Structures are given as structure tokens and as C-alpha cells.
Amino acid sequence: MYKVNNIRVSLDSQLTKAHIAKKIGIGENYIDSFIVLKKAIDARKKSDVHYAYTVAVKTTKKISGYDIFNREEYKFPKGKSLDNRPVIVGMGPCGLFAGLVLAEAGYAPIIIERGADIDTRKNKVDSFWKTGELDIRTNVQFGEGGAGTFSDGKLNSGIHDKRCQFVLDTFAKYGANEEIVYTAKPHIGTDVLAEVVKNMRNAIIDNGGEVRFQTTLTKVITRNKKVTGIIVKNENEEYEIETDKLILAIGHSARDTYSMIKNIGADMEQKNFSVGVRIEHKQDMINESQYGTFKKYLGAADYKLSAHFDNGRSAYTFCMCPGGVVVASSSEEGTVVTNGMSYSKRDGENANSALLVNVTTDDFGSDDPLAGVYFQEKIEKKAFKLAGNSYKAPAQYLSDFIGTKASTKVIPTYKPGVTFCDISKVFPDFVTDTLKKSVLEFDKKIKGFADGGAILTAPETRSSAPVRILRDKESLMSNISGLYPAGEGAGYAGGIMSAAVDGIKVAEVLVKE
Ligand SMILES: Cc1cc2nc3c(=O)[nH]c(=O)nc-3n(C[C@H](O)[C@H](O)[C@H](O)COP(=O)(O)OP(=O)(O)OC[C@H]3O[C@@H](n4cnc5c(N)ncnc54)[C@H](O)[C@@H]3O)c2cc1C
């Protein structure tokens, strides 16, 4: 098969053999078959928005000037047998994919997850958004599927790894829309993702793995800096599990577990990250700006913006959710945290994204490896107070924040509701100043971005982990032998795709070690 890219197709048509034949410059009858490798929207010229396809095509005659296409199928490596069952802590994308590949390879992993299964979790999260009563065990950060389950399920990522295609194929195999395997910006949508996670869980169990929900890792037992077992706690009891292979895929919100890992002497270091707000606009304004008159053919548009300032500060938009909502993402009492999500149809009235400012380890104010976590916590607690000691969120229109005129008023989507106030009160001044500058800067790229009717909801503090649990580059083990820090919480991933890939990588070395 030959790889042919940049095949232009207008927005109101489907890709056909004729398009491919025209691109190659041969007769349509020489095209035997083709598979789509990539489908992207080319909106660089607003007067000429169209689809751009990459395909692998089988022709009945030799053609020149095109690379031969070979799809490299991902295969989990054959490893040695293990003395005891590997244990995985956390069932986010990292733990889930580590568990799936280990189970399919016959290692019968045990996965422990402090939160509940997905169905129970959905009820608890819905109830929190309705009533404002938080369950610190099962919420948007904790539970089956991890942080990414109540999300837009965007799968695009900056990493280029051969395992990425395997992750996409696996999500499609377990129920995601097939298009994700070739769409330039694949997304699953929270409504579909929940089912996909459940199907993957059942596949792990069918292949001899085991999943223990509402079971929290409370202690790692070591002898001579080597893992020999763990203590876990569920609703009824605390007990030990013997193991010398422990994958720690805990995410960035398990602050109690971070402290425990620090106290057993695992090497950790501070890590730069970002904080800010969620900004909401009318989705139609974004569609108009990104697609112009072509918007009628296309779904909700997205955007990605960044700005760097002379004082070394920068701001950027992150985790943009087209046609989505801002969600209450607290996992700890007395803290307010925002994030965003979309349903698979992305048909909500508003567009939202995180608007973040870079925070460096110099801003943490102490050498403690967990100082960044305390920096986050301080902002989240201030927000809880400012919102009236509730899980409502502080919010402010741009007209009040930067004094711009409002052409239309955006209705905030955050549930259980917002408290209008001066949001700068939750942030250090450098964050507020940079946010104000960035909105005006972004208005130059998307007209209307700084409209006074746009709304800010605060605070977005869990953009990534402010700490890294150190590991050896080859063995991926920490200074505690048998402990494998992995995923976003350990500081080796940012997003669903890179977390899943890191889980697979750690599972590979674990069986090869
Ligand atoms: C609302 C929201 C929307 C998002 N949207 C997107 C998106 O569209 N696209 C994207 O790429 N990324 C998105 N993200 C980020 C993405 O979810 C994370 O990067 C990803 O989930 C990290 O995966 P992980 O497996 O490393 O950790 P997590 O997904 O955080 O999973 C960690 C798991 O470990 C469990 N755990 C923690 N401590 C313990 C313990 N002591 N014992 C047992 N279990 C424990 C937790 O309960 C949790 O389930 C979003 C995040 C949120 C919160």
C-alpha cells in the first residue's frame, strides 16, 4: 500500500477513490482499495476551509513518488514469569492500560482503586453537582477511569510514540467511535468514555486480572529499600497484599498518598506547573471566528492560544472543551477546583477552556518536594471561602475583571453554581496580572475573546502535577526497588493519551526486568 497525504475534499463531500486518483494522477479504475489514516480540518485560509486526508491506498499498478505504507502493530513483549502478582494503584488511563496489557499477557494484575466503579461514581458526581455535597472518596478525580472520565476525552497529545495508535485502537475496540483512530483531533466524550472504561475493566477480569474498588493504598511495606508488600483499606478492613512489583498510577490529586510516598523515602522533586481560571464564551462566536461561513458544515470549533511576556511569565489556553461545560472537580473538603468536559455531541451553547499562567518552583516558597501541592491547596481553600464556604465557585465577568464592554452575557455552566466576586482574591498577583494581559492579547487572535460578557470561573489548579516521583530512565523504578511511579501523578504524563502510554511502558519494563 502507498501512503498518500494532503488529499483535499470539500466539507460537503465524502472521500472517494476519485479524490485519491486525482491526487495521484492516475485513473480511478487503478484504485483497488484504501484505508483512512488521518482526517483533518484545514482552516488556515478562512475563505477555503476543507478536509485534508491521508490514506493508505492499494493500486493495481505501480506508482512512484509515494512511500510504501506499513502499519506497525503494537505487540506487548514476552516477559518472564513473576514470583507474585503485580499490583497497580489507580484505575485512571495509566493504571487501566497497564492493567489491560499485563492481564492480556497473562500476569493476572491486581488493580486497587480508592474510588467506586463507574456507575456508582456517575451517581455520586451528579449528586455533588446538584447538591454541592462532596464525597471525598468518589468524585471527579477519584474512581474507575480516573480523572479523565468526566472529560471531553480529547486524545490528542504532544507525544509521538508507537503505542499511541494502540491506545486509539484499544479505545475503539472497547466502544469508542471508530473515527478516533484516524481523526486529527480525536475525542471520545464523557458519555461514551464511561462505557469504554467499563468494557476495558471487564476485559481485564476476563483475562485473569482483578479490580478492587473503594480500596485505598495506605502504606508501602519495604525491607532494605525494596517493596515487599502494601497495606490497603476498604470500607470494612485494612489488610496486607504481598507484592514486589508495584505500579503507582495515583494521579495528581492523591495528596495523602504523596505524603505517604515521601515518608517511605522515595525520591521526589518539585515540578513547574500552571494555575488559572476557566473562561467561557458563546460557542457560536468561536465557530464564526475559526470557520467563518464554513461553520455550517462543521461541528463546534476549538482553539489553542498562548502568549509570552517580557517578565518571563506566559499564559496559554488548555483542555479546550467545545460545546462543553465547566465542572466542579474538587476531591478534598473545603477546596474548590474547576475543570471542563464535553459530551460526545459537543452541542452545548458555550465554549470553555482553561486559561493558565505558568508557575515555577521559585514561586512555591519552600524546598519541600510537596510545596507545589501546598501552593495549589492554598488557592483552592481561598476559593472555597470566597464562594461562601461552599463548593460553589468564585466567578467574574470580563467587564468587571478588565473593564471591557459586554456585547452579550454568557451564562456560567459550573454546577452547583457560582458566586460573583473579585476572583483576583484567590490568586497571587502575578497570576491575576498575567491573566488580564493574556485575555487582551488573545483578543487579537480571536475577535471577541475579551468581550466583557465572557465569564471567568476560578480556580483551575490541577492542570498537571506540581511534583515528580523520581525513577530510573531504563528500569523506570524509583530508588525504592519494585516501586514504579507512573502517569500524571508521578510527573511523567499530562493527559489521557500520554498517561495511557506511560502505563504501557511501565508494564513492559516490569515484565522484562
Ligand atoms: C474534568 C477533567 C477533564 C479532563 N479532560 C481531559 C481531556 O479531555 N483530555 C485529556 O487528555 N486529559 C484530560 N484531563 C486530564 C486527564 O484526565 C489526566 O491527565 C489523566 O486522567 C491522568 O491519568 P492517570 O492515570 O495518570 O491519573 P488519574 O486519571 O488521575 O487516575 C489516578 C487514579 O488513582 C486513584 N488513586 C489515587 N490514590 C490512590 C490510593 N492511595 N489508592 C488507590 N487508588 C488511588 C484515583 O482514585 C484515580 O482514579 C481531564 C481531567 C479532568 C479532571
Side-chain angles (χ1 to χ4, degrees):
M1 296 186 92
Y2 297 96
K3 188 173 179 180
V4 181
N5 53 31
N6 221 358
I7 301 164
R8 182 203 159 81
V9 176
S10 63
L11 298 176
D12 55 359
S13 344
Q14 297 287 331
L15 172 69
T16 61
K17 289 182 178 178
H19 290 106
I20 301 169
K22 185 166 169 237
K23 175 74 185 179
I24 301 173
I26 60 172
E28 192 180 331
N29 55 331
Y30 290 114
I31 305 286
D32 173 72
S33 60
F34 66 88
I35 49 172
V36 177
L37 300 178
K38 192 64 71 197
K39 174 185 178 181
I41 297 168
D42 185 341
R44 287 169 295 169
K45 266 204 265 156
K46 296 291 176 267
S47 57
D48 175 27
V49 180
H50 60 274
Y51 290 123
Y53 281 86
T54 300
V55 301
V57 57
K58 204 172 185 181
T59 57
T60 53
K61 77 170 194 176
K62 251 182 164 316
I63 58 174
S64 56
Y66 292 94
D67 297 336
I68 300 297
F69 170 75
N70 287 315
R71 186 191 281 277
E72 218 190 304
E73 293 302 331
Y74 172 75
K75 285 211 175 24
F76 190 71
K78 287 250 166 306
K80 66 184 182 85
S81 60
L82 300 177
D83 303 342
N84 32 41
R85 299 171 72 179
V87 175
I88 300 168
V89 184
M91 204 170 168
C94 179
L96 196 57
F97 274 86
L100 185 75
V101 292
L102 283 171
E104 288 181 347
Y107 288 96
I110 300 172
I111 304 181
I112 58 164
E113 169 49 60
R114 66 192 303 160
D117 65 280
I118 191 71
D119 294 326
T120 312
R121 192 180 178 200
K122 272 200 279 188
N123 297 337
K124 288 201 181 270
V125 169
D126 283 347
S127 148
F128 171 50
W129 290 342
K130 280 203 192 80
T131 66
E133 274 150 44
L134 175 68
D135 182 321
I136 57 169
R137 292 159 303 167
T138 296
N139 46 59
V140 169
Q141 308 288 350
F142 299 157
E144 180 171 22
T149 310
F150 297 90
S151 84
D152 184 16
K154 285 181 289 297
L155 300 173
N156 39 325
S157 139
I159 64 166
H160 301 286
D161 186 293
K162 67 177 185 326
R163 300 171 189 85
C164 292
Q165 193 62 47
F166 171 74
V167 173
L168 294 171
D169 294 344
T170 303
F171 276 136
K173 176 179 169 188
Y174 289 107
N177 182 325
E178 298 252 332
E179 272 209 356
I180 65 163
V181 296
Y182 60 74
T183 306
K185 293 184 181 170
H187 79 100
I188 300 180
T190 190
D191 40 346
V192 177
L193 197 50
E195 290 312 306
V196 171
V197 167
K198 205 192 292 184
N199 295 338
M200 289 176 71
R201 177 239 290 176
N202 293 333
I204 290 170
I205 294 168
D206 293 349
N207 283 286
E210 189 188 333
V211 180
R212 301 183 190 175
F213 291 117
Q214 295 176 307
T215 303
T216 304
L217 168 74
T218 55
K219 190 160 184 277
V220 177
I221 307 167
T222 63
R223 201 174 305 122
N224 308 327
K225 288 258 172 203
K226 198 173 176 332
V227 174
T228 59
I230 58 173
I231 303 288
V232 299
K233 193 171 178 207
N234 59 26
E235 297 203 309
N236 315 316
E237 59 177 341
E238 198 161 36
Y239 60 94
E240 177 177 344
I241 302 176
E242 236 184 81
T243 185
D244 58 1
K245 301 270 181 237
L246 182 65
I247 297 180
L248 200 67
I250 56 170
H252 56 33
S253 295
R255 295 172 173 167
D256 51 355
T257 315
Y258 273 150
S259 306
M260 183 269 287
I261 293 294
K262 184 179 131 193
N263 296 339
I264 63 163
D267 291 341
M268 302 166 95
E269 66 179 15
Q270 300 181 341
K271 184 173 117 345
N272 294 344
F273 75 121
S274 307
V275 299
V277 294
R278 277 270 149 182
I279 186 165
E280 285 185 280
H281 299 92
K282 292 277 183 201
Q283 181 63 51
D284 192 54
M285 182 275 273
I286 303 292
N287 296 347
E288 183 67 39
S289 165
Q290 301 295 68
Y291 297 148
T293 52
F294 293 90
K295 68 180 182 178
K296 64 174 178 281
Y297 296 105
L298 295 163
D302 65 2
Y303 60 75
K304 197 171 180 168
L305 304 164
S306 61
H308 303 276
F309 302 101
D310 301 345
N311 62 3
R313 294 291 174 189
S314 57
Y316 60 99
T317 61
F318 177 71
C319 188
M320 196 263 170
C321 296
V325 292
V326 179
V327 290
S329 305
S330 306
S331 57
E332 217 172 274
E333 254 144 27
T335 64
V336 169
V337 179
T338 64
N339 210 303
M341 80 172 193
S342 305
Y343 292 90
S344 51
K345 288 207 185 79
R346 291 177 156 183
D347 53 0
E349 191 180 339
N350 292 1
N352 79 70
S353 76
L355 182 53
L356 302 176
V357 173
N358 69 315
V359 178
T360 69
T361 54
D362 297 341
D363 299 314
F364 293 173
S366 109
D367 296 340
D368 183 324
L370 297 181
V373 174
Y374 309 143
F375 182 96
Q376 279 175 327
E377 216 167 19
K378 200 167 155 206
I379 293 172
E380 296 166 7
K381 288 193 168 149
K382 274 190 185 168
F384 182 84
K385 278 211 180 74
L386 199 58
N389 289 320
S390 81
Y391 292 102
K392 286 188 171 182
Q396 193 170 20
Y397 280 105
L398 280 186
S399 52
D400 301 326
F401 189 61
I402 55 171
T404 45
K405 248 170 111 325
S407 64
T408 164
K409 280 255 164 160
V410 174
I411 311 299
T413 55
Y414 176 99
K415 297 277 177 282
V418 298
T419 303
F420 288 101
C421 58
D422 174 3
I423 61 168
S424 67
K425 291 203 173 114
V426 301
F427 295 113
D429 292 345
F430 76 84
V431 173
T432 307
D433 298 344
T434 312
L435 286 173
K436 289 184 173 176
K437 285 196 282 186
S438 68
V439 170
L440 297 169
E441 204 50 43
F442 295 156
D443 194 73
K444 296 175 189 158
K445 297 174 183 158
I446 295 185
K447 199 84 208 87
F449 199 88
D451 184 281
I455 182 120
L456 305 178
T457 308
E460 184 100 359
T461 51
R462 316 252 178 117
S463 55
S464 76
V467 58
R468 180 170 292 119
I469 306 173
L470 299 179
R471 68 186 188 187
D472 174 81
K473 281 201 179 39
E474 298 304 316
S475 70
L476 304 188
M477 239 195 267
S478 84
N479 60 314
I480 310 254
S481 170
L483 180 65
Y484 297 83
E488 182 164 56
Y492 299 101
I496 296 169
M497 177 58 82
S498 56
V501 165
D502 199 54
I504 298 168
K505 274 190 197 161
V506 170
E508 289 171 0
V509 291
L510 184 147
V511 297
K512 271 201 296 188
E513 190 260 323

